[in-house]
Amino acid sequence: MLSQALKSLLRPDKRVVVLTGAGISAESGVPTFRGEDGLWKKFRPEELATFDAFISNPQLVWEWYEYRRKLISEVKPNPAHHSLVKMEEYFENFHLITQNVDGLHQKAGSKKVIELHGNIKRNKCIKCGRELEELEFSSKEIPPKCTCGGMLRPDVVWFGEMLPAQAINEAYKVSSLCDIFFSIGTSAVVYPAAHLPVVAKQGGAYLVEINIERTELSDLADEVFLGKAGEITPQIAKAIREA
Ligand code: OAD
């Protein structure tokens, strides 16, 4: 199933970068954003995922994130997440970049994860910027308030906002320097994340895509696996054990 070219690259000294999107968590039961059952088919991002939306209707936005937090707290990592833990252990130079805010990579055991779009479990104060974990506030107000009086918001990147500088800078750096780049379960339409595989390819990396359907990236990829992340990623992890 894996090409000879890819198999021959799966050596511990190769520099590997993996970019994941909502599709990797789909088999865990976390809805994706686009596609038939996607969140953006049922909800309007401009009413829920922008700073202006939060200021005009903080309760609604907070409650939508509470609903997603509850959903995420009840799901488990799937074989794709677990396979990436194996890959992190195997490759000496391995970087996992995710657009997901669900924390499932960490739950599976991935040690180092570059989170481009934040993490839904964390909150931050819109006034003083203080970061707080979900359980660190006792206020019953919705949304809860920081000790400085400012409203707390989920620490995720909303439309129109900058990505965390350190995360995106590191993501660009490792992508430009890698030998193999895996794009797993992302529609590859949201920038700047969607630019990373392109940068990797320009830097000479072997580009592999895993997705249930073709994406904007497929024509650029050296190898496209059309299938579920939870089925294909374990095959890659198996191949490294046999390499
Ligand atoms: P999307 O919902 O745009 O895309 C999910 C991708 O996963 C699609 O290409 C699906 O075909 C694919 N997919 C679905 N199930 C799969 C499976 N079992 N195995 C493999 N692939 C599967 O999600 P993202 O690309 O992550 O941003 O979206 C990027 C960003 O857009 C998100 O981080 C979010 C959203 O607006 C913010 O919230 C800032």
Side-chain angles (χ1 to χ4, degrees):
M1 170 117 194
L2 272 69
S3 74
Q4 207 45 50
L6 178 57
K7 274 189 191 159
S8 66
L9 278 171
L10 296 176
R11 296 202 318 263
D13 61 335
K14 291 293 175 191
R15 295 163 298 181
V16 176
V17 171
V18 178
L19 171 70
T20 64
I24 197 167
S25 297
E27 290 156 79
S28 291
V30 183
T32 60
F33 293 94
R34 293 166 188 84
E36 278 310 298
D37 298 322
L39 288 171
W40 297 151
K41 276 272 155 66
K42 298 184 200 120
F43 303 101
R44 289 160 58 85
E46 57 272 32
E47 284 171 9
L48 297 164
T50 68
F51 187 72
D52 286 351
F54 181 66
I55 293 303
S56 8
N57 201 342
Q59 284 199 347
L60 174 81
V61 173
W62 182 266
E63 277 167 2
W64 190 65
Y65 277 91
E66 282 295 284
Y67 151 76
R68 287 180 54 204
R69 278 178 179 148
K70 183 167 182 302
L71 192 153
I72 284 166
S73 72
E74 288 163 358
V75 302
K76 292 197 189 79
N78 66 55
H81 297 102
H82 291 300
S83 300
L84 295 180
V85 179
K86 299 259 177 328
M87 286 168 71
E88 183 179 38
E89 287 162 4
Y90 175 80
F91 292 105
E92 289 152 19
N93 193 322
F94 179 88
H95 295 275
L96 174 55
I97 307 168
T98 191
Q99 299 165 86
N100 300 343
V101 297
D102 58 27
L104 285 180
H105 288 303
Q106 292 90 333
K107 218 172 183 178
S110 286
K111 292 200 177 65
K112 195 170 165 270
V113 185
I114 303 174
E115 291 183 317
L116 292 181
H117 294 164
N119 191 304
I120 200 165
K121 269 202 195 149
R122 266 191 328 262
N123 295 285
K124 67 179 175 197
C125 171
I126 63 164
K127 205 164 145 201
C128 71
R130 188 176 158 212
E131 287 184 9
L132 290 109
E133 284 291 321
E134 210 178 345
L135 301 172
E136 277 181 74
F137 47 85
S138 53
S139 143
K140 292 269 181 294
E141 268 180 285
I142 300 173
K145 294 254 173 66
C146 174
T147 46
C148 80
M151 275 192 291
L152 294 183
R153 58 162 282 183
D155 193 5
V156 298
V157 175
W158 282 330
F159 286 97
E161 293 186 324
M162 303 281 283
L163 272 60
Q166 203 187 335
I168 188 64
N169 289 343
E170 192 182 2
Y172 266 115
K173 188 172 156 215
V174 298
S175 300
S176 66
L177 294 173
C178 69
D179 300 306
I180 321 173
F181 188 104
F182 291 94
S183 174
I184 308 181
T186 175
S187 55
V189 293
V190 174
Y191 285 82
H195 193 215
L196 297 170
V198 180
V199 165
K201 178 80 183 173
Q202 283 166 349
Y206 192 80
L207 183 56
V208 182
E209 178 176 55
I210 302 174
N211 200 303
I212 50 170
E213 59 187 29
R214 288 183 72 81
T215 72
E216 307 266 321
L217 198 65
S218 306
D219 284 343
L220 191 70
D222 295 290
E223 204 153 333
V224 178
F225 292 97
L226 281 181
K228 291 183 174 177
E231 289 167 13
I232 308 288
T233 324
Q235 291 179 31
I236 311 270
K238 185 167 177 276
I240 61 176
R241 285 200 301 274
E242 290 165 359

